[in-house]
Structure formats: C-alpha cells, structure tokens
Amino acid sequence: PLIQLLFLFPWLGSRLLRCWSHALYTYSQGKPFGHRGELGQAKRIVVKLGSAVVTRGDECGLALGRLASIVEQVAVLQNQGREMMIVTSGAVAFGKQRLRHEILLSQSVRQALHSGQNTLKDMSVPVLEARACAAAGQSGLMALYEAMFSQYSTCTAQILVTNLDFHDEQKRRNLNSTLQELLRMNIVPIINTNDAVVPPPEPNSDLQGVNVISIKDNDSLAARLAVEMRADLLIALSDVEGLYDSPPGTDDAKLIDTFYPGDQQSITFGTKSRVGIGGMEAKVKAALWALQGGTSVVIANGTNPKVTGHVITDIVDGKKVGTFFSEVKPAGPTVEQQAEMARNGGRSLAGLLSEQRGEIIYLLADLLTERKDEILAANKKDMDLAISTGCLSQALLKRLSLSPAKLNSLTIGLRQISVASQGSVGRVVRHTRVASGLELEQITMPIGVLLVIFESRPDCLLQVSALAIASGNGLLLKGGKEAVNTNTILHQLTQEALSVHGVRDAVQLVSTCEGVQDLCRLDKMIDLIIPRGSSQLVRDIQRATQGIPVLGHSEGICHIYVDAQASIDKVVKIVRDSKCDYPAACNAMETLLVHKDLLRSPLFDQIVDMLRVEGVKVHAGPRFASYLTFSPSEAKSLCTEYSDLQCCIEVVDGLQGAVEHIHKFGSSHTDVIVTEDKETAEQFLQQVDSACVFWNASSRFADGYRFGLGAEVGISTARIHARGPVGLEGLLTTKWVLRGNGHSVRDFSEQGGMEYLHEIIPIQQPLPEQRSTN
C-alpha cells in the first residue's frame, strides 16, 4: 500500500524522505568536513548573500539577474532533499531605491506647484538614513524572494533578528524552534538583521568563543545562525573570489584554496567591499567561529557573471571555488605547491647535461630490477583489493597487473629512452645567417610542466616519468586509487633516481583528494595535459580543461580493410591479432571493412569462423546486413569503440569506398590495409589521414615501445607536431636565439643600407655519447 501511495502521489515520497532525514539530522552533530570532496554530503546549508552580491553597482536597487540565478541554485538543492537557509542583505538598497523615487516625485510635484512648470531642475536628494531605508525596503525584498522562489514551487518565510534573539535564552529557543519547524515543512527561511531597529555595532572581542558572538553584520549573523542550527555548510558570497595571501589586485596576490585556523597571522587583509559593513577580516573571523562550532565554511564570489549561475552548486559538488575553511591540514603539500615544485624541479632538470638526465633514467631502470620483489608485492595488494571488491573489469585488471615479464620490458624501454635522451634538450634544429653578423638558431626546449592522468596502469607512471626526465619537463602524475600501492613505490623509486643529481622534486605524484576537474583548472601552472585511459576520461578532461592544451585521442576506432587481393593467411592472422590480442587497447580493431567481391569467398568464411572461435561478437553494418538473409545484430553506430571482444563488419566497393568510410566514421587513430597489390596499398597509405596507417600488419603495432621510442606518453590524433605514439620528441618545443652586434630593424630599411641574407647554415653538433645497454 505504501508503494502504491508513493506511485500515485510522488510528492508524498519527497515529504517522507524529508521528514526521515530531518529526524536523523536532529540526532547528529558531526565535525566540519575536512576536504572539499565531502561537501556533497552537506544536508543543512546556510547561504549568506553579501550586500555587494544582491545590490546593483549604483547601490540603489537589487541586481535582479544575480539574485535570480542564486535563487535557482538554492531551489535546486532544496528539491534534492537538502535544508536550505538564506541570510540576505539588500533591504537598505531596496529601500533607498524606493525612498529616492518617492522624494524625487514629491519634490517634482512641489516645484511644479510653486513654479507652474513640471521641471526637475536643481532638485537634490538628501542623505537617506539606513534604518529608514531598511524599513522601507524589507517588505519589497521579501516579496521579490517569494516571487522568485514560487517559480520553483518553493515556499519561503521571513525571519528578522537582532542580537537579543540570540543572547536571550528564551528568544533563542523560540527562534530555533521556528526555524526547525520551517525546515521540517520544506520551507526556505529568509533571514536578515532587523536593520530598522538594529543598535550600533559592538566590538570584536566576543568573537573568541563558541558560545557568544555579536550580530554586527550578516557575516556574524550567518555564522551564529549556522552554529545555532547545526548547519553542515555555510556558503558566504561576496564580491571577491575568496581569501588571498595579500590584498586582491596586487601583482603577487594568490587565491588561498584552503584556509586553516592559525593561518590568519600570515596574511594581510584588504579594504571592505564597496557596500556593506563587514570587510574580509570580519568574514574570516566569522568563518573561523563557525568552523569552531562544527560548520564547514566556503567564502566565494557571488558577483562574477561567468560563475554566478553555478557557484553554489559547484561548491556543494566539491569543486575548487573560493576559499574552503578546514581544520584538517594535509600531511603533504597541496597540489598547487606540487605544481610549483614540479616547475622549479623541471627547470633544474632541463639545466642538467643530457648525459646526467640519461644517468637518472638508467638508474631508474636498474632500480626496477633491484626492487622487483618490493614492486610486485605492492602490486599484489592492489590486485587483491580490486578482485575482492569487484570494482574493475577483466580488461582493467589486466592493465593493473604487473609481472616480472612486464617489468623486464619496462626496464628495456627505459634504457632505450636513456640513450635517446642524449642531446635532446638544447639541440639546434635550425641555424640561419639572417644578415652579416646576425645569426639565428632554433633550439629544442622542454614544454614546461606536464600533467598526466592515468587509470589502472602503473607501468604508465614509469614510462611517462622517464620521458619527462629525458625531455627536461616537470611532471605531475595523477593515478587511479586502484593502483595506489604500486604507484607509491614506483614514484619513490623515481624520486630516488632523480636525487642523484638533486632534482627530486621534478616528478610529483598527486595523492590529495583533488578531482580531475580541479587539476584541469591549474592553467597558470600546467602547460600540457596528457590523459591515459578510457575514451570517456579523455573526453571529460577535454571538456574540463580551461586553456590548457590536451594531448590525446578521445576514441580509438581502428579499421582493417581487407582488399580483394588479400592473402588468406595474412588476413586471418592480422585480424585475430588486431581484435583479440588485447581488445581493450585503443589500437585494437573495431571495424572490419571487406571488399564486396570477398563476401561469399573461402577467405571471408575463414575470417568469420576465426572470430566465432575467438568468441568475438559480430555486429553488421547496414550494407553488410542487406546482403544476408540471417545476419548478426545490426550495429547501432559505425563510430563505436567496443573495447571488448566485439567488432563491426561492413562491406565496401573497393579502395575508395574504404578510404571514404574511414574518413567518415574513424577517429584518425590507426587504420590498416591487407592486400598483395602494392599499388593499392600505397594509395591507401597516402590517402588515409590517420596518425598511423599500416600495410599488412596488425593495428596493435601502434605503440611507442614497438616503434622504438622506448615508451610513449600517449597517442595523439590531433593534427599538431606530435601525432601517433608520442615519445621524447613530442615533449619538446623550441625557442629562437638571435645573436647580433648592435643590430636594429632600422638598419634594414631603405635608408639603413643592410640587407637580409637568410642563409641556412649546416648544423654541426657533436654526436651524443652512446651508453652501452648491456
């Protein structure tokens, strides 16, 4: 019967859920959240709207657009089952607008009566007293809130308070009881100080304890209310991004992401906002008071038009917005500090001789062999946990697993990178004599700081670290939690190798709670993001990044085209390897294109039989399905990356049909032709515009190690300098060095007498010292 009632009356379920959660809440009073990622658990939330947030720039009237977006966010969270309260300013501004209008209207009438003309000349508005403005504006402000919230079927209630309502025990209990009842009935209380009768502000001396706090402004009111109502979270919105380590606007001012009690001695407070009576110092004191009372606090900007529409929901989602107040200091550095360490360490790394960078990588390879048992033991912990929890698919378990054979391959790859690193940074790639006595060089340089985000592949940590070291780049690594033990030991070994030449900080492993989206916002610290994982991970990063280039591919839709002149033995071998060797890899075949003349041939029958034996589920393309009376399930899309023992088969008329299909439905990753006709093969290799194009070879060869790069940071399908498997060269950029002798551009004008030569000078560089890999 209860289920039937909930089905017939959905609102009843919402009400029952709210009553149940409210009952649970009355028995709980936890500590404030220690990390932003926990803010999504906040059940009871106070949103404080500062005067600068709700008022217009002229301070007469309300910023209706901002207010509407804030109301929408509060209503969304309320409808999720949270208990929302708003502490608002704005009555004085609204009242000032009304009183100014009334005074001007009154003056114009009197002047018209005296002069016989309706003119506003020489009219002035007297200074308006704040209490009168508040009295005139409070009802209009509340009416506006009611109208806005009614659009979301949300009811509101007005509460006006003064200091006495908190300091008188009976009044305090009455206020608490009223608010509890409103929240129980799914009503949003709108709270404000009763500015029409408010006394002069009191000194700050009472901010030291939990039991007493004066209501001098809406910051202290919001803090007192949050503690009184046992709120989980207080969001204080003002006209600044948050708390800075020096006054905002100064050149070296940096936004403080997380603020801890005791840190206030190390910062300098700026001036108050353009309106309101509480400056940042008052906000911080109120925030720390609330934190001490058990409520988490975030101070953020509620006036920025780019973020106003989602600032509150972003905070609740745990995103890095504003300044978060926490009592839990992290054991290690913040991710911002790690990025700075990586940049400084990377610059020191780039300043080493290429032989020294090679020594670091070679030592890391040796450490893999020496500490093999320790590495495998850590990996076993990760594997055992993943298997017991069932959190990973078989494909991801295979990626997570390390073996002696894998470590041996990694060691060989690292030694290859060690050799290749010789002469990589600072290499002259172009030398030009611009004019007499004026020479120009183009020199290879590191990119800067790389952020590599990878899933379930601890071997990726070593490969990327070696390539970053070889190219002189600082590196931030963000691995999945499923490989935490393996990643930790491998990073320790990497830093041990780096310490040989004093550049330990160049490679940093991010182990804090920052999500991918938070890392993608560090555009001033990170120069390139390289995602290593699922196509969904790559797409998420590409969407989340803010101005940071992303090197990678969103999908690996790889094709094999079987030409009419293909060899049966080669086709079966190549298709089996491309699809079945490692179906979860991005270079695995996803679509098999077959020449129409092969449909009823022994070659086609052998392909189908092999796929059936290997357990590959076949999906038919629309043209292939039209040829068959009984066909496999038709493919939902020809742009599918199955990443499993599944593939699509489609029929094409010939070479041009295959090329057109690949360009229309492919992802520019890796595409293969199988044929004995050399001319046809060469046309395919020239016409297909993919990062990797093969003739009579498995698509699984698209890999940095197999290409002799030692390793890869990823595979790029972008049309930039780094395409396909990206190794050492792909992590280098260039700078231009010009050497002159007092030259000026004026020298080359018609009156200057000098001419440009632009002569290419042969590059003469010593061969890099080769290190034996025996």
Side-chain angles (χ1 to χ4, degrees):
L2 177 59
I3 294 176
Q4 292 176 340
L5 282 173
L6 294 178
F7 179 77
L8 292 173
F9 304 103
W11 59 268
L12 180 60
S14 175
R15 180 60 59 85
L16 287 173
L17 173 64
R18 183 169 295 280
C19 292
W20 174 76
S21 60
H22 181 86
L24 285 180
Y25 189 84
T26 58
Y27 291 101
S28 64
Q29 183 181 13
K31 294 182 179 180
F33 300 118
H35 307 283
R36 283 184 182 269
E38 300 171 340
L39 295 182
Q41 304 172 29
K43 177 64 180 172
R44 183 171 288 178
I45 302 173
V46 176
V47 178
K48 178 262 175 181
L49 307 178
S51 300
V53 174
V54 298
T55 61
R56 298 196 313 243
D58 60 5
E59 302 176 20
C60 295
L62 303 181
L64 297 180
R66 283 202 296 266
L67 207 55
S69 65
I70 289 170
V71 165
E72 180 180 15
Q73 294 172 82
V74 171
V76 167
L77 294 174
Q78 179 84 358
N79 290 332
Q80 290 177 356
R82 305 178 198 269
E83 297 174 341
M84 305 298 296
M85 293 177 277
I86 294 179
V87 175
T88 183
S89 301
V92 173
F94 204 177
K96 185 184 291 186
Q97 182 185 36
R98 292 183 61 184
L99 293 181
R100 281 170 62 93
H101 178 76
E102 292 297 326
I103 291 171
L104 288 173
L105 181 62
S106 174
Q107 287 180 344
S108 66
V109 171
R110 287 199 303 270
Q111 195 170 56
L113 291 174
H114 288 299
S115 64
Q117 298 178 358
N118 188 8
T119 176
L120 300 181
K121 185 178 180 181
D122 298 330
M123 285 173 31
S124 60
V125 179
V127 176
L128 299 175
E129 205 274 328
R131 291 190 182 90
C133 291
Q138 190 64 50
S139 59
L141 176 65
M142 193 60 211
L144 181 62
Y145 273 119
E146 285 186 0
M148 287 183 171
F149 272 106
S150 67
Q151 303 300 311
Y152 304 95
S153 302
T154 301
C155 186
T156 60
Q158 181 183 33
I159 305 274
L160 295 178
V161 298
T162 63
N163 248 329
L164 188 61
D165 295 309
F166 288 98
H167 292 282
D168 181 277
E169 186 60 27
Q170 184 60 47
K171 290 179 178 291
R172 187 181 68 82
R173 285 199 298 268
N174 292 342
L175 174 62
N176 187 299
S177 176
T178 300
L179 288 170
Q180 295 284 6
E181 183 65 12
L182 291 173
L183 294 175
R184 188 185 66 81
M185 293 189 294
N186 197 23
I187 294 173
V188 177
I190 311 290
I191 304 110
N192 196 1
T193 52
N194 192 351
D195 292 328
V197 297
V198 69
E202 298 181 17
N204 286 334
S205 59
D206 58 352
L207 280 166
Q208 303 304 315
V210 175
N211 297 322
V212 181
I213 183 172
S214 295
I215 307 304
K216 301 177 296 302
D217 52 42
N218 277 343
D219 294 311
S220 54
L221 168 59
R224 179 63 197 255
L225 181 75
V227 173
E228 176 68 27
M229 296 302 296
R230 298 183 178 182
D232 302 305
L233 174 61
L234 166 60
I235 300 174
L237 300 182
S238 66
D239 58 352
V240 293
E241 302 297 328
L243 185 60
Y244 287 78
D245 58 359
S246 57
T250 57
D251 291 338
D252 57 348
K254 292 182 180 179
L255 181 67
I256 299 174
D257 170 65
T258 306
F259 190 78
Y260 306 99
D263 285 355
Q264 57 267 40
Q265 288 79 15
S266 62
I267 62 173
T268 304
F269 293 103
T271 58
K272 296 180 180 180
S273 66
R274 58 177 174 83
V275 289
I277 60 175
M280 183 54 75
E281 186 170 11
K283 289 177 175 57
V284 171
K285 288 183 177 179
L288 291 173
W289 190 90
L291 188 68
Q292 185 182 1
T295 298
S296 295
V297 183
V298 175
I299 295 177
N301 190 338
T303 64
N304 186 340
K306 293 183 179 180
V307 299
T308 302
H310 47 81
V311 59
I312 298 173
T313 51
D314 278 356
I315 290 170
V316 175
D317 287 342
K319 296 180 181 177
K320 283 200 167 186
V321 178
T323 299
F324 170 61
F325 286 71
S326 174
E327 292 182 327
V328 182
K329 270 203 170 184
T334 65
V335 68
E336 290 83 1
Q337 291 170 333
Q338 284 188 289
E340 189 68 28
M341 293 163 68
R343 182 172 296 282
N344 294 333
R347 287 170 177 164
S348 299
L349 183 66
L352 296 177
L353 297 174
S354 60
E355 292 83 357
Q356 293 174 309
R357 289 192 297 275
E359 286 174 7
I360 293 172
I361 301 169
Y362 204 84
L363 174 58
L364 179 57
D366 288 343
L367 288 173
L368 288 187
T369 302
E370 295 171 9
R371 310 275 278 278
K372 177 180 64 176
D373 292 341
E374 191 175 345
I375 296 168
L376 294 176
N379 186 246
K380 186 177 184 302
K381 289 182 182 178
D382 292 327
M383 289 292 294
D384 290 345
L385 182 60
I387 292 171
S388 65
T389 58
C391 60
L392 296 182
S393 65
Q394 286 300 316
L396 291 180
L397 281 173
K398 187 175 180 181
R399 289 185 180 184
L400 174 61
S401 174
L402 289 181
S403 65
K406 255 190 183 180
L407 289 179
N408 184 57
S409 295
L410 281 170
T411 300
I412 296 171
L414 294 188
R415 288 172 178 161
Q416 289 178 346
I417 296 172
S418 174
V419 173
S421 69
Q422 306 301 310
S424 58
V425 179
R427 173 169 47 89
V428 179
V429 295
R430 182 183 179 90
H431 190 183
T432 306
R433 181 175 289 109
V434 178
S436 177
L438 189 64
E439 294 189 1
L440 178 68
E441 289 181 340
Q442 187 181 14
I443 300 175
T444 55
M445 292 294 295
I447 290 173
V449 175
L450 314 175
L451 167 61
V452 177
I453 302 170
F454 56 101
E455 299 174 321
S456 308
R457 288 193 58 178
D459 52 330
C460 174
L461 186 151
L462 291 169
Q463 296 169 342
V464 173
S465 296
L467 289 170
I469 294 167
S471 57
N473 286 291
L475 178 63
L476 281 176
L477 293 158
K478 175 67 172 175
K481 60 183 179 182
E482 67 279 354
V484 61
N485 293 295
T486 316
N487 287 339
T488 299
I489 181 61
L490 294 179
H491 178 247
Q492 289 173 356
L493 298 181
T494 303
Q495 289 200 313
E496 186 176 331
L498 287 163
S499 299
V500 172
H501 288 293
V503 287
R504 179 186 180 89
D505 290 344
V507 176
Q508 298 286 323
L509 179 63
V510 178
S511 55
T512 56
C513 297
E514 273 78 11
V516 169
Q517 290 189 336
D518 294 325
L519 293 170
C520 290
R521 292 190 179 97
L522 301 177
D523 56 303
K524 295 182 179 179
M525 301 180 178
I526 295 170
D527 300 292
L528 180 66
I529 300 177
I530 304 171
R532 294 286 303 271
S534 66
S535 57
Q536 186 61 50
L537 171 69
V538 179
R539 284 194 294 269
D540 289 344
I541 291 172
Q542 289 172 333
R543 282 194 295 264
T545 184
Q546 298 183 354
I548 309 175
V550 178
L551 188 154
H553 61 91
S554 58
E555 291 169 317
I557 304 174
C558 303
H559 297 78
I560 291 181
Y561 166 54
V562 181
D563 184 58
Q565 303 301 318
S567 160
I568 291 180
D569 293 338
K570 290 180 183 176
V571 168
V572 172
K573 183 178 180 181
I574 290 170
V575 171
R576 177 190 286 115
D577 191 72
S578 296
K579 180 71 261 184
C580 307
D581 175 66
Y582 191 179
C586 63
N587 57 14
M589 182 200 77
E590 303 294 5
T591 298
L592 179 66
L593 301 177
V594 180
H595 193 288
K596 65 178 182 178
D597 293 347
L598 298 177
L599 267 187
R600 291 176 174 85
S601 68
L603 185 151
F604 183 73
D605 292 340
Q606 287 196 32
I607 295 173
V608 173
D609 288 343
M610 179 273 293
L611 293 174
R612 185 184 300 113
V613 170
E614 295 290 342
V616 178
K617 182 178 181 181
V618 173
H619 303 274
R623 189 172 178 188
F624 178 43
S626 69
Y627 280 91
L628 304 174
T629 304
F630 299 100
S631 67
S633 61
E634 189 166 343
K636 295 180 180 178
S637 170
L638 295 176
C639 300
T640 302
E641 182 182 25
Y642 296 101
S643 299
D644 198 355
L645 284 174
Q646 301 182 57
C647 73
C648 173
I649 296 180
E650 182 58 309
V651 176
V652 293
D653 289 335
L655 173 66
Q656 290 307 314
V659 171
E660 290 171 7
H661 181 103
I662 290 169
H663 286 166
K664 184 175 182 180
F665 300 109
S667 61
S668 300
H669 192 294
T670 301
D671 297 293
V672 179
I673 182 172
V674 184
T675 184
E676 296 304 301
D677 188 317
K678 182 178 180 181
E679 184 178 347
T680 300
E682 290 299 334
Q683 290 182 43
F684 183 90
L685 298 177
Q686 291 297 320
Q687 293 180 27
V688 172
D689 183 21
S690 296
C692 300
V693 190
F694 300 164
W695 173 23
N696 286 350
S698 168
S699 62
R700 293 278 291 119
F701 279 106
D703 176 84
Y705 175 76
R706 295 174 185 129
F707 280 6
L709 305 179
E712 64 183 39
V713 294
I715 293 182
S716 172
T717 55
R719 287 163 175 80
I720 56 176
H721 77 290
R723 201 159 187 238
V726 179
L728 176 58
E729 292 292 328
L731 298 183
L732 294 171
T733 184
T734 60
K735 71 176 178 181
W736 297 87
V737 177
L738 188 66
R739 294 182 173 89
N741 187 21
H743 291 78
S744 67
V745 172
R746 186 183 293 271
D747 295 335
F748 296 86
S749 64
E750 292 182 2
Q751 296 78 23
M754 295 194 70
E755 295 182 357
Y756 289 107
L757 299 176
H758 294 134
E759 295 178 347
I760 303 299
I761 301 174
I763 299 172
Q764 296 181 352
Q765 300 184 93
L767 292 174
E769 178 183 334
Q770 298 296 316
R771 176 187 296 276
S772 171
T773 58
N774 294 332

